[in-house]
């Protein structure tokens, strides 16, 4: 009996430690600042080695900490749910995503960095943009999607480049725009692409 209780106690302690690490990561992500494994471990009051025993790398920890943080596409785009204008819907989706990225940019930068240096870990990235783009372009499925499926697929690829953290950080870091101007620039590009695609006969 004592052995069973000890085993249960250890299992519960492991659960508590894991939960503390995830919660510490979640709180750190919420600040928008830099997210690193040493910082998370410090906040969780565990050693960095302990944090790595529970999570093999930072992307896996961030993925778990962000689980459920982003609403599903239909919920995210609820304010434009009644709109049949793909340009309006794409503009909303783009701004929604980029403002969410700004709020969590430390963790997003960490994820991008990790997946650039270790491409095999790219599956750990959430890929929120794709669901938002698909949902925003729903009004075009029966028109452009039916008459020119390749043009429709190309529009989605084009938007995936623009409606993205990479585009946002290019505008802020390399082009020197402040965050608000960067969001506005990306939205303008996304709507221009959508407008041009909608005009395809």
């Amino acid at each position: 009996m004592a052995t069973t209780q000890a085993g249960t106690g250890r299992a519960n302690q492991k659960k508590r430690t894991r939960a503390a690490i995830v919660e510490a990561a979640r709180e750190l992500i919420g600040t928008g600042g830099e997210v690193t494994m040493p910082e998370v471990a410090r906040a969780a009051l565990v050693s960095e080695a302990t944090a790595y025993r529970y999570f093999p790398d930072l992307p896996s920890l961030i993925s778990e900490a962000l689980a459920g943080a982003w609403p599903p596409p239909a919920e995210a785009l609820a304010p434009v749910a009644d709109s049949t204008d793909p340009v309006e819907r794409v503009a909303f989706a783009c701004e929604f995503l980029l403002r969410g990225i700004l709020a969590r940019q430390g963790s997003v930068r960490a994820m991008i960095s990790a997946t650039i240096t270790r491409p095999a870990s790219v599956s750990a990235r959430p890929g929120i943009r794709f669901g938002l783009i698909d949902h925003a372009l729903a009004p075009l499925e029966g028109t452009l999607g039916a008459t020119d499926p390749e043009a429709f697929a190309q529009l989605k690829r084009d938007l995936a480049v623009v409606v993205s953290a990479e585009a946002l950080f290019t505008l802020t870091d390399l082009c020197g725009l402040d965050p608000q101007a960067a969001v506005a620039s990306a939205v303008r590009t996304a709507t221009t692409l959508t407008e041009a695609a909608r005009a395809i006969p």
Side-chain angles (χ1 to χ4, degrees):
M1 178 67 76
T3 303
T4 302
Q5 287 177 337
T8 302
R10 279 194 297 274
N12 288 339
Q13 179 57 48
K14 285 184 176 181
K15 285 180 185 176
R16 285 193 296 272
T17 300
R18 184 184 185 88
I21 293 168
V22 172
E23 184 55 33
R26 194 172 288 135
E27 289 180 5
L28 202 55
I29 289 167
T31 68
E34 184 180 10
V35 179
T36 66
M37 198 65 97
E39 286 296 325
V40 171
R42 194 173 298 115
L45 303 178
V46 300
S47 69
E48 188 177 345
T50 297
Y52 275 114
R53 275 201 295 276
Y54 286 87
F55 297 93
D57 51 40
L58 189 58
S60 63
L61 171 55
I62 291 174
S63 291
E64 185 160 330
L66 283 176
W70 291 91
E75 186 180 323
L77 270 62
V80 290
D82 294 334
S83 174
T84 58
D85 180 0
V87 176
E88 179 187 14
R89 292 168 64 90
V90 162
F92 186 90
C94 185
E95 183 158 352
F96 174 85
L97 180 77
L98 299 189
R99 292 199 181 285
I101 288 167
L102 285 171
R104 309 172 175 91
Q105 69 171 299
S107 62
V108 176
R109 287 177 184 275
M111 289 289 272
I112 291 173
S113 174
T115 54
I116 287 173
T117 55
R118 295 195 306 280
S121 66
V122 74
S123 60
R125 287 182 63 179
I128 306 297
R129 76 185 86 174
F130 299 107
L132 290 172
I133 290 168
D134 285 347
H135 201 74
L137 293 179
L140 286 180
E141 286 179 1
T143 53
L144 182 63
T147 60
D148 196 338
E150 178 49 35
F152 191 44
Q154 184 61 52
L155 172 60
K156 289 185 177 185
R157 290 191 291 269
D158 293 344
L159 288 174
V161 174
V162 177
V163 184
S164 68
E166 295 88 345
L168 179 64
F169 296 147
T170 295
L171 291 167
T172 56
D173 301 356
L174 301 180
C175 297
L177 296 184
D178 67 65
Q180 304 313 316
V183 170
S185 179
V187 169
R188 187 163 53 251
T189 305
T191 55
T192 299
L193 287 168
T194 308
E195 188 69 68
R198 182 172 63 176
I200 294 174

